[in-house]
Amino acid sequence: MTTGMKLKQFLLHEKRAGVDLPYDLIELIHEVSITCKEIAATVSRGELSGVLGVAGSENVQGETQKELDIITNDIMANHMSVSGLVAGMGSEEIDDPIVVPAAERGEYLLMFDPLDGSSNIDVNISVGTIFSVLKAPLGCKAEPKLEDYLQNGDQQKAAGFVVYGPSTVLVLTTGQGVNMFTLDNAIGEFVLTTEGCQIPEETTEFAINLSNKRFWEKPMQDYIEDCLQGENGPLGKRYNMRWVASMVAEVYRILVRGGIFMYPFDSRDPSKAGKLRLMYEGNPMAMIIEQAGGAASTGHGRIMEVESTGLHQRVPVCLGSKNEVEKVFEYHARADNAA
Ligand code: AHG
Ligand code: MN
Ligand code: MN
């Protein structure tokens, strides 16, 4: 009986059962979970903390930073850089890789989005932290170079996110399925509550920011147009729509009841392939979704096969219930063939 096990206890149990999980990876995941408890505590204080609102600065992607974007970035970066487990880190909020002192270096690279959905923080809607773990090619022997980070998603050793909602839940994969751990505040531990998440293959629920429709490519416009026609349209189903504007909350919902989530390529800024970032949003969420039996595509191919060219590279994202993602893929393939 594994349900009810604490996070670290469960990972050690899996290792003993034969799963390929090095001790330092278990430690790393455990340390990340500790920082997420600190972030959960910070976020949950809301207005009491006096840190809601904008910080007056912009990150490398030209987005206005919230004070909490910076505070949560520092919580993660400061804690992990002395953990002895990472050789370097990449964060949404920091332009260049975060350097770890030589004496503190470990074997892994940690990519993270410290506060996903941060536009929702002031309005008290769920936000989260996303992370992706890669092996540092030279381990702890040298300071990682930028190229060392540019691995594709299939090379991730672990991926996860924590959603700070009505309950705080850690969703984790180490490549052996997806498990969920709910934070039990009474004991201060993440406790296994769902083992082996499986996303239903079929769905009638889509999530997309429809206000951007005029900027999308034709296949995406056509697919959503057909969804909106419901049971009398070419897809023959009555769809429901959701848009939380926190990817963590949307992916969590899809893990629980299925669905499809899209942030497609749009023409607002042709230099960007989409809004979401490959290394700390697209790849970790794609690994989780695939490990739960879903699919994660750019519309043209698997997200985790996209060649990584920069820490803050953008990627079009379409993920969730397998058969629905496959439909979106077919709309794109048909348009490609016609061209
Ligand atoms: P972040 O807060 O880390 O910048 O990410 C926000 C992302 C994602 O969580 C969400 O799905 C999307 O941006 C919402 O975008 P819109 O505000 O354009 O709907
Ligand atoms: Mn984000
Ligand atoms: Mn963020």
Side-chain angles (χ1 to χ4, degrees), residues 19-195:
V19 174
D20 177 22
L21 260 180
Y23 281 115
D24 58 352
L25 182 56
I26 293 177
E27 280 304 327
L28 187 156
I29 292 166
H30 185 233
E31 291 300 320
V32 167
S33 80
I34 292 172
T35 68
C36 291
K37 285 190 268 185
E38 194 176 339
I39 294 174
T42 308
V43 163
S44 72
R45 295 198 72 230
E47 201 72 68
L48 293 173
S49 65
V51 293
L52 298 189
V54 296
S57 51
E58 284 188 349
N59 64 17
V60 63
Q61 351 213 359
E63 296 165 342
T64 306
Q65 287 177 309
K66 297 277 192 183
E67 256 195 79
L68 273 171
D69 283 323
I70 299 168
I71 292 169
T72 54
N73 172 77
D74 293 352
I75 290 174
M76 182 67 82
N78 294 343
H79 185 99
M80 294 310 293
S81 69
V82 293
S83 65
L85 297 162
V86 294
M89 289 174 277
S91 164
E92 176 187 334
E93 304 305 332
I94 309 283
D95 305 7
D96 299 316
I98 301 169
V99 177
V100 169
E104 306 283 358
R105 267 187 226 129
E107 298 291 319
Y108 296 94
L109 301 173
L110 178 68
M111 301 295 308
F112 61 93
D113 174 355
L115 202 58
D116 177 66
S118 59
S119 71
N120 277 326
I121 194 82
D122 293 348
V123 289
N124 208 19
I125 290 173
S126 298
V127 291
T129 299
I130 310 172
F131 63 94
S132 158
V133 184
L134 299 164
K135 195 96 192 21
L138 296 175
C140 59
K141 290 189 211 62
E143 187 182 312
K145 298 191 181 57
L146 177 61
E147 309 85 84
D148 296 339
Y149 289 84
L150 306 184
Q151 306 180 30
N152 71 24
D154 280 327
Q155 288 170 279
Q156 293 174 104
K157 300 298 176 203
F161 68 89
V162 176
V163 60
Y164 312 112
S167 56
T168 294
V169 184
L170 168 68
V171 177
L172 178 70
T173 183
T174 57
Q176 302 282 330
V178 177
N179 300 308
M180 291 183 176
F181 303 81
T182 304
L183 180 60
D184 184 344
N185 280 308
I187 58 170
E189 290 276 357
F190 281 103
V191 174
L192 182 65
T193 40
T194 308
E195 196 171 357

Side-chain angles (χ1 to χ4, degrees), residues 236-251:
K237 295 195 274 189
R238 181 182 292 198
Y239 283 83
N240 185 30
M241 196 196 91
R242 287 286 181 272
W243 187 250
V244 187
S246 279
M247 191 190 199
V248 284
E250 320 263 15
V251 171

Side-chain angles (χ1 to χ4, degrees), residues 59-61 90-97 111-112 146 150 272 275-280 308-315:
N59 64 17
V60 63
Q61 351 213 359
S91 164
E92 176 187 334
E93 304 305 332
I94 309 283
D95 305 7
D96 299 316
M111 301 295 308
F112 61 93
L146 177 61
L150 306 184
K272 294 173 183 162
K275 179 175 185 188
L276 299 175
R277 282 58 53 110
L278 177 66
M279 304 291 293
Y280 43 80
S308 165
T309 57
L311 273 193
H312 304 285
Q313 176 186 349
R314 311 276 181 148
V315 67

Side-chain angles (χ1 to χ4, degrees), residues 285-297:
M285 291 310 205
M287 183 175 180
I288 290 165
I289 291 286
E290 285 195 7
Q291 283 291 321
S297 167

